[in-house]
Amino acid sequence: MSQHATKHLIIGGGIIGCSVAYHLARAGEKDVVVLEKAAITEGATWHAAGLVGQLRSSRNTTRMLKKSVELYDRLEAETGMAFDWKKVGSLRLAATKDRLLEAKRLATMAQSFDLEMHIITPDEAKDLFPYINAEGLEGAAFIPSDGHVDPASLCQAIAAGARRNGAQIRQGVKVLDFIVENGRVTGVETSEGTWTAETVTVAAGMWSREIGAKLGLHVPACAVEHQYIVTEPLPDTDSVKTLPTLRDPERLVYYKPDAGGRLVIGGYEEGTLPFGDDGIPGEFVRQLLPDNLDRFGPLAELAAEVTPVINEVGIRSVINGPIPYSADGDFVLGWQPGFDNLMMATGFLYGIAAGGGAGEMIAEWILEGRPSLDLWPLDVRRFSPHHGTKRFMYPRAVEHYEYHYKQRYPGQEYQTARNLRLSPLHDRLDQMGAIFGSKNGWERPLWFAPEGVEQKDQLAFIDPGYKTYVAEEHRAVREGVALIDQTSFSKFELIGPGALDLLQRLAACNMDKPVGSVIYAQFCNETGGTEADITITRTGEQSFYLVTGSGFGVHDSDWIRRHMPDDGSVHLIELTSGRAVINIVGPKAREVLQSVSENDLSNAAFPFATAQEIVVGMAVVRAARIGYVGELGWELHVPTEFARHVYDTLWQAGQAHGIRNVGYRAIESLRLEKGYIYWSGDLTPDYTPIEAGLGFRVHLKAKGDFLGRAVLEKQKTEGPDRMLCTFVTDAQLPVSGGEPILLNGETVSLATSAGRGYSVGKTILMGYLPRALAKETAFECVVFGDTHAVTRVDGPLYDPENKRLKA
């Protein structure tokens, strides 16, 4: 077989693969090759509905989709190829009061993302889309810059642009296998010979899981059936051309104007079918699936309620095609852990809307090591291996599909693929009224229903019922003693003669502290952005114990491994399953813990930010005097088999002190009062520790060079251009993050975190301000379309001198 070589090899010639090639070539890369097993567009791209909507729940995902629109606006002039791009706007109907609240929440989000979106009346909606029945509507939302496009023509235009810039697109070439050496893809075996490349990108859509299996990967991407109908021409065919796209989430349907005065009508019903779960049949080239009108019928009936005209014009055709999906309904992007040169670009439910921007971001990721926008919500490292198993991925994908338009409230949990990773305390907490949420497969207590209260979450947009009980848990931590099961923490041991040197290079703070020190550290990249926010205990001269968030273990361990020396002087070992974590907190925590421990737990014998091995009951555990709630407390890291004994011992000892169980929603309110930040929200690779108010954790004098030092040194000397600030109001506002923060009517920030501080009696928001505005105090925030005054204050709001923490 012949040998071929290139610099960048892309597997898959759908819109994503072609867009990656286009942006690499446009950036000046000369050796870019796309391998497509059939012809471009012939997987899922060609039968996509073609809606281009930009608003998503993540600010940076929305920014990425705006980049798609920017590309589609210029592409025809650049390539000379028309692709029927119609920037006619999008309309989202609100058929109930809750749907109007949802639309207002989305409009609030759009404002904070700098995307124009208007809440309009039912009559104004009917003016934009005359075929709708406006009776009973509460209102609608309109985004002028959205639109629709012909997917196959768009993909051909992007491919033409890639070729114009020097990329090769080789069709009819099948990937057969891979050659991997030392964590690097060194060869791609194909039907035309073996390819070598510096980088390999998997953009194979619904085939990505089968491609990944050849590399020993459980790729968390799959496909499900999706149906839409094309109507016969409407009576006034000319008027159809100017219609916006339309979504009616209450009735689970969407509309796109189509050629010849027709409408495309699709939807997201319950119980769609997985596709390819037993392997994708045959070649499956430009194929569709048999239509299932029994399943689509209820959607058609709902659509007829919105647009009665479809009862008159009839159905021309039914399209049932597999569409890519993922284990959480969002994209799978980024460098694959365990490989040096494998880029993932798959799982695109809305690939036509995302194609242009996603290709640009992936090209940046390949060329710069990271994209210009932090895309953590889409990052492959948010997944663990279980996400890619069939029994997790397909049920969860089908449920996500069902909830694509279904009403969802802030904090609502999914029900499929549950009870997967259970703490040793799970049954105990279940018996005590825990309402569980799922995080990275772990069941974690969100809050506890007292006796007589149904053990079921109480959700709403404005005043969810659970807040009453969360406030009581909050007070128990501030005034008494509480236990928190935090077993789901990701936990690692870093050992070896090179361990300290590696941590000194990664961390912005000095890691050369005495054995027994607990060190709060940030790992930065070369631009000073924060890649990890992590707690590290020095357990020996050459050993460290690392603790990070439940969902960050794959991400943080991948960051560490990519910087580890290859001389065998450092080893990273995951201990997540081997240690349960019981956090005992509150002003009475010492009294309770001391009553069951043989060790001296006084402040002198066990200072804050240190760790020791202590006895609790009959168990020896590692106790760390640190926490995330701002009170006296110990994190007890317990060998798993001892966890129930330790919990039961503490629970019994705490009865005289009114001990309580506490869930994660109380943790959120407690940490907001203390101004503690959360990685992926308040702190991301977009922001440095200094900008986030963690300058005291950046040690320039005590250590030598480390990643990001030059940027952080400049910020410490000159001051950062922006800083994380705290805003408060006495009003009880239904905030959850993402709300715009205004100064003199202009959006100047958005809330990175928001919630109620029950001890201080205030609604608290956190958000970044430009340095020039960081001394101002009178701001406003927008919640569900209403504007409220908020005041910028110097934080933290609760115990600013840390007297209670260090008691």
Side-chain angles (χ1 to χ4, degrees), residues 9-162:
L9 189 68
I10 299 159
I11 301 169
I15 189 168
I16 304 301
C18 290
S19 182
V20 175
Y22 167 86
H23 284 98
L24 284 171
R26 196 165 185 263
E29 294 296 295
K30 298 303 178 193
D31 292 320
V32 179
V33 173
V34 176
L35 303 181
E36 164 53 47
K37 76 181 186 72
I40 59 173
T41 84
E42 291 194 347
T45 298
W46 71 276
H47 63 72
L51 278 71
V52 178
Q54 298 163 88
L55 182 61
R56 295 297 182 270
S57 59
S58 151
R59 183 187 194 190
N60 282 355
T61 305
T62 300
R63 286 173 165 173
M64 184 178 85
L65 268 58
K66 288 171 74 174
K67 289 178 180 291
S68 288
V69 169
E70 290 168 15
L71 172 62
Y72 304 163
D73 281 347
R74 71 166 192 264
L75 190 62
E76 184 174 343
E78 186 180 311
T79 63
M81 292 183 67
F83 46 89
D84 205 25
W85 168 226
K86 296 287 194 295
K87 202 171 179 179
V88 288
S90 69
L91 193 58
R92 186 183 186 93
L93 303 182
T96 66
K97 285 184 165 48
D98 267 5
R99 286 293 188 182
L100 187 59
L101 283 172
E102 182 183 59
K104 287 180 175 179
R105 187 166 181 254
L106 289 169
T108 294
M109 204 182 293
Q111 183 178 351
S112 72
F113 297 170
D114 193 30
L115 178 68
E116 186 182 351
M117 183 174 184
H118 307 286
I119 299 295
I120 61 176
T121 66
D123 287 343
E124 289 170 322
K126 189 168 178 62
D127 288 343
L128 287 165
F129 203 110
Y131 295 99
I132 64 171
N133 174 13
E135 191 178 335
L137 288 182
E138 296 288 334
F142 181 63
I143 298 178
S145 57
D146 284 350
H148 61 88
V149 68
D150 176 61
S153 302
L154 170 63
C155 188
Q156 294 286 359
I158 293 173

Side-chain angles (χ1 to χ4, degrees), residues 2 179 216 375 379 396 471 480 502 537 560-561 757 773 792:
S2 54
I179 302 166
L375 295 177
D379 195 308
R396 187 60 67 88
L502 173 62
T537 300
I560 293 167
R561 286 193 171 101
L773 303 181
R792 187 199 60 76

Side-chain angles (χ1 to χ4, degrees), residues 534-712:
I534 199 163
T535 301
I536 302 172
T537 300
R538 189 166 194 179
T539 54
E541 289 300 318
Q542 297 183 2
S543 63
F544 297 82
Y545 180 64
L546 284 58
V547 180
T548 187
S550 310
F552 306 147
V554 173
H555 175 279
D556 293 0
S557 61
D558 179 65
W559 182 258
I560 293 167
R561 286 193 171 101
R562 287 184 186 276
H563 293 88
M564 278 168 56
D566 54 13
D567 60 4
S569 65
V570 185
H571 299 277
L572 184 67
I573 304 157
E574 182 158 7
L575 298 177
T576 300
S577 301
R579 298 284 184 275
V581 181
I582 302 169
N583 196 353
I584 181 167
V585 291
K588 298 177 182 177
R590 180 180 282 117
E591 199 173 342
V592 173
L593 186 58
Q594 186 67 79
S595 71
V596 294
S597 178
E598 301 173 13
N599 305 78
D600 182 355
L601 303 181
S602 66
N603 212 15
F606 202 144
F608 180 72
T610 64
Q612 299 177 24
E613 284 206 338
I614 67 168
V615 171
V616 179
M618 295 180 279
V620 178
V621 308
R622 175 177 292 144
R625 230 191 114 186
I626 195 161
Y628 198 46
V629 297
E631 295 290 342
L632 170 68
W634 284 263
E635 276 181 17
L636 305 177
H637 291 253
V638 185
T640 307
E641 66 271 27
F642 291 100
R644 284 196 180 202
H645 167 72
V646 170
Y647 175 85
D648 290 345
T649 300
L650 293 170
W651 186 254
Q652 290 304 317
Q655 290 307 301
H657 303 277
I659 196 166
R660 294 215 25 182
N661 289 301
V662 166
Y664 273 78
R665 287 191 181 145
I667 294 174
E668 180 70 1
S669 70
L670 291 157
R671 70 100 181 170
L672 278 170
E673 290 186 336
K674 282 294 293 177
Y676 291 158
I677 60 178
Y678 181 66
W679 190 86
S680 80
D682 311 305
L683 189 60
T684 74
D686 285 346
Y687 301 107
T688 73
I690 292 172
E691 291 169 341
L694 296 173
F696 65 98
R697 302 305 306 149
V698 177
H699 301 155
L700 299 173
K701 293 178 183 175
K703 59 183 293 188
D705 196 20
F706 59 89
L707 284 173
R709 178 176 178 123
V711 175
L712 299 180

Side-chain angles (χ1 to χ4, degrees), residues 309-514:
V309 69
I310 68 169
N311 287 326
E312 302 165 24
V313 297
I315 297 173
R316 178 186 176 91
S317 57
V318 181
I319 307 293
N320 185 11
I323 58 171
Y325 229 93
S326 78
D328 69 357
D330 232 325
F331 312 154
V332 182
L333 307 183
W335 294 113
Q336 174 64 42
F339 292 84
D340 290 344
N341 64 335
L342 184 65
M343 173 63 65
M344 304 305 293
T346 188
F348 279 85
L349 162 61
Y350 43 96
I352 306 307
E360 183 176 344
M361 292 298 98
I362 295 160
E364 289 180 358
W365 222 324
I366 290 169
L367 299 177
E368 307 295 333
R370 69 184 56 83
S372 55
L373 299 173
D374 167 49
L375 295 177
W376 168 246
L378 313 176
D379 195 308
V380 63
R381 294 170 294 177
R382 75 190 186 274
F383 293 115
S384 293
H386 67 265
H387 287 109
T389 63
K390 289 183 187 180
R391 290 187 69 176
F392 185 101
M393 181 168 58
Y394 281 101
R396 187 60 67 88
V398 168
E399 187 182 11
H400 268 280
Y401 180 96
E402 174 186 335
Y403 274 90
H404 190 79
Y405 284 154
K406 255 191 179 179
Q407 186 82 70
R408 284 184 64 77
Y409 295 99
Q412 189 166 333
E413 295 280 338
Y414 286 96
Q415 298 307 308
T416 52
R418 294 293 298 267
N419 293 311
L420 179 61
R421 304 176 80 179
L422 301 182
S423 155
L425 309 180
H426 180 269
D427 291 350
R428 289 277 193 278
L429 302 182
D430 190 25
Q431 291 162 8
M432 293 181 174
I435 284 85
F436 291 100
S438 178
K439 185 77 169 183
N440 195 19
W442 285 99
E443 294 293 318
R444 310 193 310 178
L446 300 174
W447 59 281
F448 288 81
E451 199 168 329
V453 175
E454 186 182 4
Q455 198 171 341
K456 181 182 176 184
D457 211 355
Q458 300 181 10
L459 300 170
F461 280 123
I462 300 299
D463 191 20
Y466 69 78
K467 287 192 172 182
T468 300
Y469 309 107
V470 169
E472 292 171 7
E473 293 175 21
H474 178 115
R475 280 189 283 275
V477 173
R478 291 281 184 248
E479 297 168 11
V481 60
L483 297 178
I484 311 173
D485 179 12
Q486 296 191 281
T487 298
S488 63
F489 277 148
S490 298
K491 303 168 277 281
F492 299 87
E493 194 167 38
L494 191 75
I495 58 174
L500 176 61
D501 286 345
L502 173 62
L503 288 176
Q504 287 287 55
R505 170 153 174 72
L506 292 178
C509 61
N510 180 24
M511 295 302 305
D512 194 5
K513 297 290 186 180

